Amino acid sequence: METALEQARKGQAGETRRRESPDRLRPLAVVRNIGVIAHIDAGKTTTSERILYYAGRVHRMGEVHEGTATMDWMPQEKERGITITSAATTCFWRDHQINLIDTPGHVDFTVEVERSLRVLDGAVVVFCGVGGVQPQSETVWHQADRYRVPRIAFINKMDRIGADFESVVEQLRTRLGARAVPIQIPWGREETFCGVVDLLTMQAIVFDDSSLGSKMQTVPIPAELAVAAERARAYLIEQLAEQDEEVLKAYLDNPDVSAVELRAGLRRATVAQTLVPVLAGSALRNKGVQQLLDAVVDFLPSPLDIPPVQGSHPKTHEAVERDADDFAPLSVLVFKLMNDPYMGRLAFVRVYSGQLKKGQNVFNSRTRKRDRISKLVFLHADDRQEVETIHAGEIGAIGGLKQVTTGDTLCAENAPVELERIRFPEPVIAMAIEPKSGSDRDKLNEALQALASEDPTCVVTVDPDTGQTLISGMGELHLEILKDRMFREFKVQANAGRPMVSYRETVTAPGRGEHRFERDIGGQHMFAEVVIEVEPRPRGQGNDIEFDVPAGRIPTEFRAAIEDGLRDGLLTGVVANYALIDVKVRVVGGAFHDQESTDTAFRTAAVMALRAAAKAAQPALLEPIMALEILMPPEHMGDVLNDVSSRRGHVQDMQGRELVQIIHARVPLAELFGYSTAIRSLTRGRASYTMEPACFDVVPEAIRKQLLDR
């Protein structure tokens, strides 16, 4: 019988018009670019470690709680037992090449999930069998929706007390809107969990503990599970037949649809994102991971199964498509930057079309400059394997690129393309930092520049009033990790202040302002006049700049300078020098002089006119509001609710599950510093919580006065 690899080489794995280089190690049809995503502590990294072990990539299972996980290679990850940065590796299963990215679960590092999903073809979403769909589960699910990434769900920790497979599947349907269809049911629950029932083959699988789950035994379905298995298989066939005509046709011929036909139908439905196959297991106890690997191979797409990547021409802005074709024009997306202690700056890339070769010249469509590829590597966590070529559909890294940032497109100069850039959330918290001595200043600036280039949610600014350097990030943990890396990796001697909330400003009513700039600068008289109208936009919509002024009032060549001035003005605000957000700015009038008007004059006039308009538009101060989820025993409910209320929080809803109560609330970030200590004290260490940025809202007048009086 031919292997999948032999079939793919013969072209039997699906006809395609895309061409492949003969020096590829694996045909595209057997390549899977996947990520493992989940809420924190659902077991992502443990699942990834088991995948690497069973695929033969590592010979000893790393454990997160021991600090020995292969994919958690940073010192900060080993110490805290959490994933901070996405780690990439490659392994092989059933002659298929699996390029795997393990992503963080903590909300402070959600940017790592965002940029990983941008370049992945499929994802394994891990859910805790006890916690079910948690806040960050919803966040990563919606991120995958945004990038249209096909998914399979793995319900982990089925050996834990309180694990409930059916409840989690129902949460997938109700809270995530997923058409979740189990292809397995668990055999046993909590401490009696010993295996799974495969609904495709209608056989039970038992895992051998003495061989760390490497050996499995296939046995008949036990009598106590026979009815449940028949019912679950009937539901699977019914749901699949609704989505897939071939399965429907097979079902009408014979209600007992074969495993082969079900597997093929599930693949089509998963790739089309009309169904989400659900599996069960316990990664820590080495149960169910091999079946998860089978599902990755059987159901998640290869680069051939996904639509061509969409982009635009950098000059004409016309739509451009690129197929996963080794002989098509080059298109490469830089999705992550990292400072490697041995290789310098590494740019993680996904090659969408063409071949990226060592020594090749590439064109950066953002900077419009050429760069030479000096070093190419494949990745295994913190190990590097140098290669000569990265082909279409593959993920690797480039060493030595200087003028590149996250989201850049590298392409052929004679066939330029700009792929969609990655969107990143706004930082919500800041921390002041200063060098301990003058000799440390340059080293601190280099460290901050390196960290900001790696992490787009690490924003470095200088306070215009105090001259302090501020680092902004996504949360207290994010800032703590940045500070720790500065001290350890970059050997910076610096003093760091306490974290502070990153406020914003907005306008709450329409306003109008104008400014006439008339001044002698360097012996030249300069003139410009700009009239601005502003009005509020819905929260979360961002800023918008429009020109509604005749060319006779302001010539077209000055519009770029005016827009630059308006963007500068939006960054500084008028209440307390915080950035203005959710504002519509319209240029409605102005004046110019043939000899005396300059870009500088119009830029300055635009800034001052915007400030006048914003002051007239009832400006308001905004604060970040966090979505808070608290899990606790029922007896502590009253104390926790009182505490949330005292922090200006608003309870959204409460849910009761077996043994726990869950509160969902919106609380200002300013009131949540040190919350981990407070919640432990209130509940004697028995509660857990997660929070993530939800929105910005107007600061109450009393709090605003306190802030402005400081």
Side-chain angles (χ1 to χ4, degrees), residues 665-692:
R666 295 286 177 95
V667 186
L669 174 61
E671 306 293 339
L672 289 172
F673 289 116
Y675 188 63
S676 57
T677 303
I679 193 74
R680 277 200 299 268
S681 174
L682 280 173
T683 63
R684 299 175 187 171
R686 297 180 65 195
S688 64
Y689 76 95
T690 56
M691 61 178 175
E692 61 182 342

Side-chain angles (χ1 to χ4, degrees), residues 493-654:
Q493 298 296 312
N495 296 316
R498 293 182 60 192
M500 305 170 292
V501 175
S502 287
Y503 292 93
R504 295 289 186 273
E505 298 179 21
T506 194
V507 298
T508 58
R512 184 182 176 95
E514 58 184 273
H515 185 81
R516 173 174 288 200
F517 180 85
E518 224 173 333
R519 195 173 300 172
D520 289 322
I521 300 177
Q524 179 187 357
H525 188 72
M526 293 190 183
F527 172 84
E529 183 178 323
V530 178
V531 182
I532 300 291
E533 288 181 354
V534 299
E535 61 183 76
R537 299 188 78 202
R539 194 73 67 240
Q541 292 293 305
N543 297 325
D544 183 41
I545 297 174
E546 288 183 1
F547 285 85
D548 186 16
V549 58
R553 304 287 295 172
I554 299 177
T556 306
E557 61 262 29
F558 293 121
R559 292 194 174 188
I562 293 173
E563 190 167 340
D564 287 343
L566 293 175
R567 294 195 188 284
D568 286 346
L570 288 167
L571 287 174
T572 53
V574 294
V575 178
N577 291 327
Y578 294 108
L580 280 158
I581 62 171
D582 301 331
V583 178
K584 184 170 188 173
V585 182
R586 192 162 48 247
V587 182
V588 295
F592 77 104
H593 189 281
D594 285 334
Q595 278 78 43
E596 296 177 354
S597 289
T598 63
D599 283 350
T600 302
F602 269 108
R603 183 170 185 154
T604 307
V607 172
M608 301 309 292
L610 175 63
R611 292 183 66 81
K615 285 178 180 177
Q618 299 177 24
L621 197 62
L622 301 175
E623 63 180 341
I625 306 297
M626 309 300 283
L628 181 68
E629 182 186 79
I630 310 165
L631 282 78
M632 83 215 91
E635 59 265 31
H636 298 291
M637 186 81 147
D639 292 337
V640 172
L641 285 172
N642 288 336
D643 183 66
V644 167
S645 178
S646 72
R647 295 173 186 271
R648 297 194 283 129
H650 297 282
V651 174
Q652 306 290 108
D653 67 71
M654 294 180 286

Side-chain angles (χ1 to χ4, degrees), residues 137-281:
S137 310
E138 296 187 58
T139 301
V140 298
W141 192 272
H142 297 318
Q143 285 174 308
D145 280 340
R146 184 156 59 244
Y147 294 115
R148 294 197 53 76
V149 177
R151 279 144 276 176
I152 55 179
F154 179 62
I155 300 179
N156 191 27
K157 302 190 179 184
M158 289 306 303
D159 59 315
R160 287 264 308 273
I161 294 175
D164 189 335
F165 180 79
E166 291 79 12
S167 171
V168 179
V169 172
E170 187 58 30
Q171 289 174 48
L172 290 176
R173 294 169 184 152
T174 56
R175 292 185 62 175
L176 301 180
R179 193 183 283 263
V181 180
I183 60 172
Q184 299 173 346
I185 58 172
W187 183 354
R189 58 184 299 172
E190 301 178 349
E191 70 276 2
T192 65
F193 176 68
C194 62
V196 295
V197 174
D198 186 331
L199 300 177
L200 303 183
T201 61
M202 289 302 279
Q203 292 179 311
I205 301 168
V206 185
F207 300 92
D208 175 36
D209 290 333
S210 63
S211 65
L212 297 177
S214 295
K215 294 179 181 176
M216 298 169 289
Q217 188 178 0
T218 302
V219 298
I221 298 173
E224 67 271 18
L225 287 177
V227 174
E230 288 290 349
R231 190 183 301 119
R233 191 174 201 270
Y235 180 79
L236 165 63
I237 294 172
E238 173 192 317
Q239 293 297 309
L240 192 51
E242 283 184 19
Q243 303 299 321
D244 189 89
E245 288 187 11
E246 292 188 37
V247 172
L248 176 60
K249 185 178 176 183
Y251 174 73
L252 294 174
D253 290 340
N254 179 7
D256 188 18
V257 183
S258 72
V260 172
E261 289 169 316
L262 286 177
R263 202 168 277 117
L266 274 167
R267 178 177 181 77
R268 290 188 293 270
T270 305
V271 170
Q273 298 174 66
T274 56
L275 284 184
V276 178
V278 183
L279 300 92

Side-chain angles (χ1 to χ4, degrees), residues 372-435:
R372 187 174 177 82
I373 303 297
S374 59
K375 192 171 290 185
L376 293 174
V377 295
F378 282 144
L379 305 152
H380 175 51
D382 58 340
D383 288 339
R384 318 281 177 244
Q385 175 196 345
E386 288 201 40
V387 293
E388 294 295 316
T389 307
I390 302 178
H391 297 89
E394 294 182 334
I395 293 172
I398 307 172
L401 290 184
K402 295 278 191 296
Q403 304 299 319
V404 71
T405 64
T406 300
D408 280 359
T409 303
L410 307 178
C411 56
E413 191 168 1
N414 62 352
V417 63
E418 189 161 18
L419 303 177
E420 181 189 355
R421 295 188 72 84
I422 307 167
R423 292 180 294 174
F424 299 113
E426 286 273 327
V428 296
I429 191 169
M431 174 177 69
I433 192 154
E434 59 184 24

Side-chain angles (χ1 to χ4, degrees), residues 452-467:
S453 70
E454 274 191 28
D455 182 353
T457 57
C458 167
V459 178
V460 181
T461 56
V462 176
D463 188 301
D465 295 329
T466 65

